[in-house]
Amino acid sequence: MIDRHSAEKQRARIEAMAAELGPDEPLWFEVRSARQAPGSRWKAAVGRRGQTGAAFSGEGGACVLFELDYPSQLPEWLEAIGIRPEQPIPLNWRNLVSFDCPVECTRRRGQAGLD
């Protein structure tokens, strides 16, 4: 289950971040396993390309970070924070430790230009 209240706050930050990007500058998404510790989770970051990696170490203040228990929660999180990956999300995460790709911001219902 995801924290919808937290996702709404993150969505607002992501939309503001996306508005500041240049025309050829993609918004970037990265998710990593935090399997080093027992009971650890997965962490994901959204930000400018090249800055998401620093966010995992606490150095990327301009990125939005969130945690999830299982990669299967990604579709629900991505919808809640309003981003759509430009590449398919892997179906089998058994041997993966990370995934990254450009993303697009989706519009909230009721915003002008929503299809």
Side-chain angles (χ1 to χ4, degrees), residues 41-90:
R41 304 170 75 172
W42 291 76
K43 292 186 178 185
V46 180
R48 291 178 187 268
R49 186 175 190 162
Q51 293 182 353
T52 54
F56 292 104
S57 63
E59 300 172 12
C63 294
V64 171
L65 255 138
F66 62 95
E67 293 185 352
L68 49 152
D69 295 317
Y70 305 101
S72 60
Q73 294 173 317
L74 268 176
E76 188 177 6
W77 263 109
L78 297 177
E79 181 181 341
I81 61 175
I83 60 172
R84 179 179 36 246
E86 292 183 8
Q87 297 176 5
I89 296 173

Coordinates of all heavy atoms in Angstrom, one line a residue, residues 41-90:
R41 N 14.1 -2.2 1.8 CA 13.1 -1.8 0.8 C 13.8 -1.4 -0.5 O 15.0 -1.5 -0.7 CB 12.3 -0.7 1.3 CG 11.7 -1.0 2.7 CD 11.0 0.2 3.3 NE 9.8 0.5 2.6 CZ 9.0 1.4 3.1 NH1 9.2 2.1 4.1 NH2 7.8 1.6 2.4
W42 N 12.9 -0.9 -1.4 CA 13.4 -0.3 -2.7 C 13.3 1.2 -2.5 O 12.4 1.7 -1.9 CB 12.5 -0.8 -3.8 CG 12.8 -2.3 -4.1 CD1 12.3 -3.3 -3.4 CD2 13.5 -2.9 -5.1 NE1 12.7 -4.5 -3.9 CE2 13.4 -4.3 -5.0 CE3 14.2 -2.3 -6.2 CZ2 14.1 -5.1 -5.9 CZ3 14.9 -3.2 -7.1 CH2 14.8 -4.6 -6.9
K43 N 14.2 1.9 -3.2 CA 14.1 3.3 -3.2 C 14.1 3.8 -4.6 O 14.7 3.3 -5.5 CB 15.4 3.9 -2.5 CG 15.4 3.7 -1.0 CD 16.6 4.4 -0.3 CE 16.5 4.1 1.2 NZ 17.6 4.9 1.8
A44 N 13.3 4.9 -4.8 CA 13.2 5.5 -6.1 C 13.4 7.0 -6.0 O 13.1 7.6 -5.0 CB 11.8 5.2 -6.7
A45 N 13.9 7.6 -7.1 CA 14.2 9.0 -7.2 C 13.7 9.5 -8.6 O 13.8 8.8 -9.6 CB 15.6 9.3 -7.0
V46 N 13.2 10.7 -8.5 CA 12.7 11.4 -9.7 C 13.4 12.8 -9.7 O 13.4 13.5 -8.7 CB 11.2 11.6 -9.8 CG1 10.8 12.4 -11.1 CG2 10.5 10.3 -9.7
G47 N 14.1 13.1 -10.8 CA 14.8 14.4 -10.9 C 15.4 14.6 -12.3 O 15.1 13.9 -13.2
R48 N 16.4 15.5 -12.3 CA 17.1 15.7 -13.5 C 18.1 14.5 -13.8 O 18.6 14.0 -12.8 CB 18.0 17.0 -13.4 CG 17.1 18.3 -13.4 CD 18.1 19.5 -13.3 NE 17.3 20.7 -13.1 CZ 16.9 21.5 -14.1 NH1 17.3 21.2 -15.3 NH2 16.3 22.6 -13.8
R49 N 18.3 14.2 -15.0 CA 19.2 13.1 -15.4 C 20.6 13.5 -14.8 O 21.1 14.6 -14.9 CB 19.3 13.0 -16.9 CG 20.1 11.8 -17.2 CD 20.1 11.5 -18.7 NE 20.7 10.3 -19.0 CZ 20.5 9.6 -20.1 NH1 19.8 10.1 -21.1 NH2 21.1 8.4 -20.3
G50 N 21.2 12.5 -14.2 CA 22.5 12.7 -13.6 C 22.5 13.1 -12.1 O 23.5 13.1 -11.4
Q51 N 21.3 13.5 -11.6 CA 21.2 13.9 -10.2 C 20.5 12.8 -9.4 O 20.5 12.9 -8.2 CB 20.4 15.2 -10.1 CG 21.2 16.4 -10.7 CD 20.5 17.7 -10.5 OE1 19.3 17.7 -10.1 NE2 21.1 18.8 -10.8
T52 N 19.8 11.9 -10.0 CA 19.0 10.9 -9.2 C 20.0 10.0 -8.4 O 19.6 9.7 -7.3 CB 18.1 10.1 -10.1 OG1 18.9 9.5 -11.2 CG2 17.0 10.9 -10.7
G53 N 21.1 9.7 -9.0 CA 22.1 8.8 -8.2 C 22.5 9.5 -6.9 O 22.6 8.8 -5.9
A54 N 22.8 10.8 -6.9 CA 23.2 11.5 -5.7 C 22.1 11.5 -4.7 O 22.3 11.6 -3.5 CB 23.6 12.9 -6.1
A55 N 20.8 11.5 -5.1 CA 19.7 11.6 -4.2 C 19.7 10.4 -3.3 O 19.3 10.5 -2.1 CB 18.4 11.6 -5.0
F56 N 20.1 9.2 -3.7 CA 20.1 8.0 -2.9 C 21.1 8.1 -1.7 O 20.9 7.5 -0.7 CB 20.4 6.8 -3.7 CG 19.4 6.4 -4.7 CD1 19.5 6.7 -6.1 CD2 18.2 5.9 -4.3 CE1 18.5 6.4 -7.0 CE2 17.2 5.5 -5.2 CZ 17.4 5.8 -6.5
S57 N 22.1 8.9 -1.9 CA 23.1 9.1 -0.8 C 22.8 10.4 0.1 O 23.5 10.7 0.9 CB 24.5 9.2 -1.3 OG 24.6 10.4 -2.2
G58 N 21.6 11.0 -0.3 CA 21.2 12.2 0.5 C 21.8 13.5 0.0 O 21.6 14.5 0.6
E59 N 22.4 13.5 -1.1 CA 23.0 14.7 -1.7 C 22.2 15.3 -2.8 O 22.6 16.4 -3.3 CB 24.4 14.3 -2.3 CG 25.4 13.7 -1.3 CD 26.6 13.2 -1.9 OE1 26.9 13.5 -3.1 OE2 27.4 12.5 -1.2
G60 N 21.1 14.8 -3.1 CA 20.3 15.3 -4.2 C 19.0 16.0 -3.8 O 17.9 15.4 -3.9
G61 N 19.2 17.2 -3.2 CA 18.0 17.9 -2.7 C 17.0 18.3 -3.7 O 15.8 18.5 -3.4
A62 N 17.4 18.3 -5.0 CA 16.5 18.7 -6.1 C 15.7 17.5 -6.6 O 14.9 17.7 -7.5 CB 17.3 19.3 -7.2
C63 N 15.9 16.3 -6.0 CA 15.1 15.2 -6.5 C 14.0 14.8 -5.5 O 14.1 15.2 -4.3 CB 16.1 14.0 -6.6 SG 17.3 14.2 -7.9
V64 N 13.1 14.1 -6.0 CA 12.0 13.5 -5.1 C 12.3 12.1 -4.9 O 12.5 11.3 -5.8 CB 10.6 13.7 -5.8 CG1 9.6 12.9 -5.0 CG2 10.3 15.1 -5.9
L65 N 12.4 11.7 -3.6 CA 12.7 10.3 -3.2 C 11.5 9.7 -2.6 O 10.8 10.3 -1.8 CB 13.8 10.3 -2.2 CG 15.2 9.9 -2.8 CD1 16.3 10.8 -2.2 CD2 15.4 8.5 -2.4
F66 N 11.3 8.4 -2.8 CA 10.3 7.6 -2.1 C 10.7 6.2 -2.0 O 11.6 5.7 -2.7 CB 8.9 7.8 -2.8 CG 8.8 7.2 -4.2 CD1 8.3 5.9 -4.4 CD2 9.1 8.0 -5.2 CE1 8.2 5.4 -5.7 CE2 8.9 7.5 -6.5 CZ 8.5 6.2 -6.8
E67 N 10.1 5.5 -1.0 CA 10.4 4.1 -0.8 C 9.2 3.2 -1.1 O 8.1 3.6 -0.9 CB 10.9 3.9 0.6 CG 12.2 4.5 1.0 CD 12.7 4.2 2.4 OE1 11.9 3.6 3.2 OE2 13.8 4.6 2.7
L68 N 9.5 2.0 -1.5 CA 8.4 1.0 -1.7 C 8.9 -0.3 -1.1 O 10.1 -0.6 -1.1 CB 8.0 0.9 -3.1 CG 9.0 0.8 -4.2 CD1 8.4 0.1 -5.4 CD2 9.5 2.2 -4.6
D69 N 8.0 -1.2 -0.7 CA 8.3 -2.5 -0.2 C 8.7 -3.5 -1.3 O 9.6 -4.3 -1.1 CB 7.1 -3.0 0.6 CG 6.9 -2.2 1.8 OD1 7.8 -1.8 2.5 OD2 5.7 -1.9 2.1
Y70 N 8.0 -3.4 -2.4 CA 8.2 -4.3 -3.5 C 8.1 -3.6 -4.9 O 7.3 -2.6 -5.0 CB 7.1 -5.4 -3.5 CG 7.0 -6.1 -2.2 CD1 6.0 -5.8 -1.3 CD2 7.9 -7.1 -1.9 CE1 5.9 -6.5 -0.1 CE2 7.8 -7.8 -0.6 CZ 6.8 -7.4 0.2 OH 6.7 -8.1 1.4
P71 N 8.9 -4.0 -5.9 CA 8.8 -3.4 -7.2 C 7.4 -3.5 -7.8 O 7.0 -2.6 -8.6 CB 9.8 -4.1 -8.0 CG 10.7 -4.8 -7.1 CD 9.9 -5.0 -5.8
S72 N 6.6 -4.4 -7.4 CA 5.3 -4.6 -7.9 C 4.4 -3.4 -7.5 O 3.3 -3.1 -8.1 CB 4.6 -5.9 -7.4 OG 4.5 -5.8 -6.0
Q73 N 4.8 -2.5 -6.6 CA 4.1 -1.3 -6.2 C 4.4 -0.2 -7.1 O 3.7 0.9 -7.0 CB 4.5 -0.9 -4.8 CG 4.0 -1.9 -3.7 CD 4.5 -1.5 -2.3 OE1 5.7 -1.1 -2.2 NE2 3.7 -1.6 -1.3
L74 N 5.4 -0.3 -8.0 CA 5.8 0.8 -8.9 C 4.6 1.4 -9.7 O 4.5 2.6 -9.7 CB 6.9 0.4 -9.8 CG 8.3 0.7 -9.3 CD1 9.4 0.2 -10.2 CD2 8.5 2.2 -9.0
P75 N 3.8 0.6 -10.4 CA 2.8 1.2 -11.2 C 1.8 2.1 -10.4 O 1.5 3.2 -10.8 CB 2.0 0.0 -11.8 CG 3.1 -1.1 -11.8 CD 3.9 -0.9 -10.6
E76 N 1.5 1.6 -9.2 CA 0.6 2.4 -8.3 C 1.3 3.7 -7.9 O 0.7 4.8 -7.9 CB 0.2 1.6 -7.1 CG -0.9 2.3 -6.3 CD -1.3 1.4 -5.1 OE1 -0.7 0.3 -4.8 OE2 -2.3 1.8 -4.4
W77 N 2.6 3.6 -7.5 CA 3.3 4.8 -7.1 C 3.4 5.8 -8.3 O 3.2 7.0 -8.1 CB 4.7 4.5 -6.6 CG 4.8 4.4 -5.1 CD1 5.0 3.2 -4.4 CD2 4.8 5.5 -4.2 NE1 5.0 3.5 -3.1 CE2 4.9 4.9 -2.9 CE3 4.7 6.8 -4.3 CZ2 5.0 5.7 -1.8 CZ3 4.7 7.6 -3.2 CH2 4.8 7.0 -1.9
L78 N 3.8 5.3 -9.5 CA 4.0 6.1 -10.6 C 2.7 6.9 -11.0 O 2.7 8.1 -11.3 CB 4.5 5.3 -11.8 CG 5.9 4.7 -11.6 CD1 6.3 3.9 -12.8 CD2 7.0 5.8 -11.3
E79 N 1.6 6.2 -10.9 CA 0.3 6.8 -11.2 C 0.0 7.9 -10.1 O -0.4 9.0 -10.5 CB -0.8 5.8 -11.2 CG -2.2 6.4 -11.5 CD -3.3 5.4 -11.5 OE1 -3.0 4.2 -11.6 OE2 -4.4 5.9 -11.3
A80 N 0.3 7.6 -8.9 CA 0.0 8.6 -7.8 C 0.8 9.8 -7.9 O 0.4 10.9 -7.6 CB 0.1 7.9 -6.4
I81 N 2.1 9.7 -8.3 CA 3.0 10.8 -8.3 C 3.0 11.5 -9.7 O 3.6 12.5 -9.9 CB 4.4 10.5 -7.9 CG1 5.1 9.5 -8.8 CG2 4.5 10.1 -6.4 CD1 6.6 9.2 -8.5
G82 N 2.2 10.9 -10.6 CA 2.0 11.6 -11.9 C 3.1 11.5 -12.9 O 3.3 12.4 -13.7
I83 N 3.8 10.3 -13.0 CA 4.8 10.2 -14.0 C 4.5 8.9 -14.8 O 4.0 7.9 -14.3 CB 6.2 10.2 -13.5 CG1 6.5 9.1 -12.5 CG2 6.6 11.6 -12.9 CD1 7.9 9.0 -12.0
R84 N 5.0 8.9 -16.1 CA 4.8 7.8 -17.0 C 6.2 7.4 -17.6 O 6.8 8.3 -18.2 CB 3.8 8.1 -18.0 CG 3.6 6.9 -19.0 CD 2.5 7.2 -20.1 NE 2.5 8.6 -20.6 CZ 1.5 9.5 -20.4 NH1 0.4 9.1 -19.7 NH2 1.5 10.7 -20.9
P85 N 6.7 6.2 -17.3 CA 8.0 5.9 -17.9 C 7.9 5.8 -19.4 O 6.9 5.4 -20.0 CB 8.3 4.5 -17.3 CG 7.3 4.3 -16.2 CD 6.2 5.2 -16.5
E86 N 9.0 6.2 -20.0 CA 9.1 6.1 -21.5 C 9.6 4.7 -21.9 O 9.6 4.4 -23.1 CB 10.0 7.2 -22.0 CG 9.4 8.6 -21.9 CD 10.2 9.7 -22.5 OE1 11.2 9.4 -23.2 OE2 9.9 10.8 -22.2
Q87 N 10.0 3.9 -21.0 CA 10.3 2.5 -21.3 C 9.5 1.6 -20.4 O 9.1 2.0 -19.3 CB 11.8 2.2 -20.9 CG 12.8 3.0 -21.8 CD 14.2 2.8 -21.3 OE1 14.5 2.0 -20.5 NE2 15.1 3.6 -21.9
P88 N 9.2 0.4 -20.8 CA 8.5 -0.6 -20.0 C 9.2 -0.9 -18.7 O 10.4 -1.0 -18.6 CB 8.3 -1.8 -20.8 CG 8.7 -1.4 -22.2 CD 9.6 -0.2 -22.1
I89 N 8.4 -1.0 -17.6 CA 9.0 -1.3 -16.3 C 9.2 -2.8 -16.4 O 8.4 -3.6 -16.8 CB 8.0 -1.0 -15.2 CG1 7.7 0.5 -15.1 CG2 8.4 -1.6 -13.9 CD1 6.7 0.9 -14.2
P90 N 10.4 -3.3 -15.9 CA 10.6 -4.8 -15.9 C 9.6 -5.5 -15.1 O 9.0 -5.1 -14.1 CB 12.0 -4.9 -15.2 CG 12.6 -3.5 -15.3 CD 11.5 -2.5 -15.3

